[in-house]
Every structure is written in C-alpha cells, then in structure tokens.
Amino acid sequence: MDGYDKVINDLKKDSKLSATEGKSTLTKLGYALLAKMMLTFKPTDKRAGGSWHASIFGFAFLIFMWNLISRSDSIATLMTEHITFNEDCFIISEQGGKADQEGANKIDKHVYCNPMQPEICPGVALALLVLAPTEATTLSCFKVRTRKTSFPTR
C-alpha cells in the first residue's frame, strides 16, 4: 500500500487530485440517496461488471458499513455466524478491528430495522444478501478479496 499512498499524495501535490479527496462527510440524506440508487439499480451489461448480485452486494455492504460504523475490512470479514437475533434487533459481533488485531475486545453491536425507510433498512439488506442466489454457498456474508490482495505488490 505504500506505493498507492505515494501516488495519491503526489497527485494531490500536483493539484491533479483535490486535497480533500476522501475527506468529505457523507450526510444522512446522501447516504439514503446512494442506498436507494443501489437498491433500485438495474444491471444492463454483465461485461461491465453489472449483475444483480453485484448490486445487492454493494447495497448491503453500504448499509452495514453505515449502521455498524465500521471500516470496510471489518465488514468484509462479517460471517453469518457473527449475527444473532434478539427480539427486535440483530446483534452483530465484530471480530476485532484496526486497534484490536487479535480480536480480544470484540464488540457486540445492536442493529435495528427501519421499516419506514426500506432503502436504508439493515433487515432488507441482510434478507437480500442471504436470499440472493450466488455462485457458491459460503458462511461469509461478503465474499471479497482482502485489501492486501487487491493491489499488486512489487
């Protein structure tokens, strides 16, 4: 990742990339609009990465990142066995994070459904993710490559 960070820093120095790139906040209105766009997205060209599964994946990933207030690495490792139900909420057990690499201080987070706004409802996101047909059945909610394998190394 050192090479990637250097490239981004050089682009910012040369004013080819905004100095505030990636630093702006996402408002709740922006989040709701983005979620609704992802939920209603109709894929047209599979060659361009468009598929129903990709759309559902993106929608659910966004919803869980927002509701768990977590980094993408934590969401990517979320498995169905980390999710339990208790009366009116999901209890999601995060298995460590950036400051807790060993997972010794795992945190249980309570996530509630939002039936008034289904486009930002974690229950809808989880249902779509679990019920959507995938190429392979897995316990992992989000089948993603790790960041370490996403970028080539020297």
Side-chain angles (χ1 to χ4, degrees):
M1 286 302 294
D2 292 333
Y4 178 76
D5 290 337
K6 184 180 181 327
V7 169
I8 295 298
N9 196 30
D10 289 345
L11 288 172
K12 287 180 180 181
K13 284 180 185 175
D14 296 338
S15 296
K16 294 179 181 173
L17 191 63
S18 169
T20 59
E21 181 74 28
K23 305 292 183 193
S24 300
T25 58
L26 177 62
T27 64
K28 185 178 181 210
L29 181 63
Y31 158 67
L33 180 64
L34 184 60
K36 188 170 188 170
M37 288 174 62
M38 293 178 92
L39 183 61
T40 58
F41 174 75
K42 292 183 177 120
T44 55
D45 189 2
K46 285 192 175 195
R47 291 173 293 164
S51 72
W52 287 110
H53 189 5
S55 177
I56 291 169
F57 170 89
F59 168 71
F61 202 85
L62 171 71
I63 299 296
F64 281 103
M65 277 188 65
W66 181 275
N67 282 280
L68 294 175
I69 312 170
S70 295
R71 298 166 49 87
S72 59
D73 289 350
S74 296
I75 301 300
T77 60
L78 188 62
M79 300 179 77
T80 52
E81 65 187 26
H82 301 151
I83 304 171
T84 57
F85 300 93
N86 184 14
E87 294 184 16
D88 62 344
C89 69
F90 308 125
I91 300 174
I92 299 178
S93 223
E94 286 196 302
Q95 307 299 308
K98 185 177 180 179
D100 182 23
Q101 297 292 318
E102 291 83 32
N105 300 315
K106 69 178 185 174
I107 301 169
D108 290 341
K109 295 185 177 180
H110 293 71
V111 178
Y112 296 87
C113 291
N114 187 348
M116 303 306 284
Q117 290 181 287
E119 66 272 9
I120 61 170
C121 179
V124 171
L126 184 62
L128 287 173
L129 195 62
V130 170
L131 298 175
T134 60
E135 296 164 2
T137 304
T138 177
L139 291 175
S140 177
C141 290
F142 301 100
K143 187 179 178 184
V144 297
R145 298 184 313 177
T146 63
R147 183 170 28 142
K148 293 176 184 169
T149 62
S150 295
F151 295 100
T153 57
R154 294 180 186 178

